[in-house]
Amino acid sequence: MRVFDMIVDERHRAADLLEGLTAEQLRRPSLCAGWRVHDVAAHLTTYLRFGQLKIYAAIVTTGADFDRFNLRLTRRAARLPIEEIVARLRRHATSRTTIPRSGYDPVLTDVLLHDLDMRVPLNIARDTPEERLRVAFRHLTDQPSPGYAMGDRLRGLRLEATDTGWTYGSGPVVRGRAETLLLGIGGRPWAFDHLDGEGLILLRSRVLNRTRPEVLGRLMAPLRVLASPPPSARRSREAGAPELP
């Protein structure tokens, strides 16, 4: 399946999930610090009608502070009732907005992580197709887009997904199920009680003690993306999940 088709399907799945939640479930804290399940749902709609020119403008006006920009957009979208959020997810499920020159991989990664951000605290499990998790794993460990602010989080660590056999890097090991591993390297503290390995203490420390880079450092990340060759394969309408060892 093409990565773009995976994104469309994930947006519809999120809408299906949200449509069946109670008001109490929507108020439940998600795995995103400070965000309720309702806020995460709202965040999923924030870029659906965005053009790339608006993203460039946001990079300039916020000094590439994606955290601040996402917070601003999400607060605005979260004022909407859940019925309108669900309707927007369905109506704009085929949106092709991407981070400039980054392709569809980061979009799918974002939707998958936020799906888990909502499902885990609600204890609503699902069987996420392995090929979709593979896209997210490759993206976060290979060349994550600037919005993920990974920095050197994974430097000198080896990641091992116990249920898929995927590995990355060398050094002290952090291991666990692929979904949990993605949440850990994606910066969700919940995951650290569900992973193990001698590298876990270091990963936990890097995530919990992350410092916000200065403006110049934030600006350099998108500039490096803009200066690099476009990921033609990842933008291709025919691009599917990457192969992993």
Side-chain angles (χ1 to χ4, degrees), residues 61-83:
T61 58
T62 66
D65 190 338
F66 290 101
D67 287 346
R68 181 158 62 94
F69 187 59
N70 282 330
L71 185 59
R72 182 193 306 165
L73 292 178
T74 299
R75 281 175 175 167
R76 184 184 306 161
R79 298 170 189 162
L80 296 173
I82 194 62
E83 293 79 10

Side-chain angles (χ1 to χ4, degrees), residues 23-43 74-75 77-80 85 117-118 121:
E24 188 278 329
Q25 287 175 311
L26 290 166
R27 290 193 297 267
R28 192 85 55 85
S30 75
L31 296 188
C32 284
W35 283 8
R36 305 162 300 162
V37 169
H38 184 102
D39 299 320
V40 176
H43 173 71
T74 299
R75 281 175 175 167
R79 298 170 189 162
L80 296 173
I85 289 172
D117 287 334
M118 297 186 290

Side-chain angles (χ1 to χ4, degrees), residues 5 36 70 101 117 138 151 155 170 175 177 217 243:
D5 294 328
R36 305 162 300 162
N70 282 330
R101 299 173 71 84
D117 287 334
R138 199 280 297 271
R155 179 173 52 83
S170 60
R175 67 173 65 86
R177 295 181 63 252
E243 292 299 323

Side-chain angles (χ1 to χ4, degrees), residues 105-114 116 132-155 159 168 178-188 203 234 242 244:
D105 290 15
V107 180
L108 180 63
T109 301
D110 189 66
V111 178
L112 286 175
L113 284 174
H114 288 315
L116 292 169
R132 302 183 190 188
L133 296 173
R134 193 188 316 151
V135 172
F137 185 83
R138 199 280 297 271
H139 180 66
L140 290 179
T141 57
D142 182 18
Q143 191 177 3
S145 58
Y148 289 99
M150 295 288 288
D152 63 352
R153 184 180 301 174
L154 305 182
R155 179 173 52 83
L159 308 176
Y168 167 83
E179 286 186 352
T180 308
L181 198 58
L182 285 173
L183 287 169
I185 64 181
R188 277 61 171 179
L203 178 61
R234 285 186 288 165
L244 287 173

Side-chain angles (χ1 to χ4, degrees), residues 191-205:
F192 301 136
D193 291 331
H194 305 273
L195 297 169
D196 60 35
E198 60 270 27
L200 181 57
I201 292 176
L202 181 56
L203 178 61
R204 183 200 302 263
S205 174

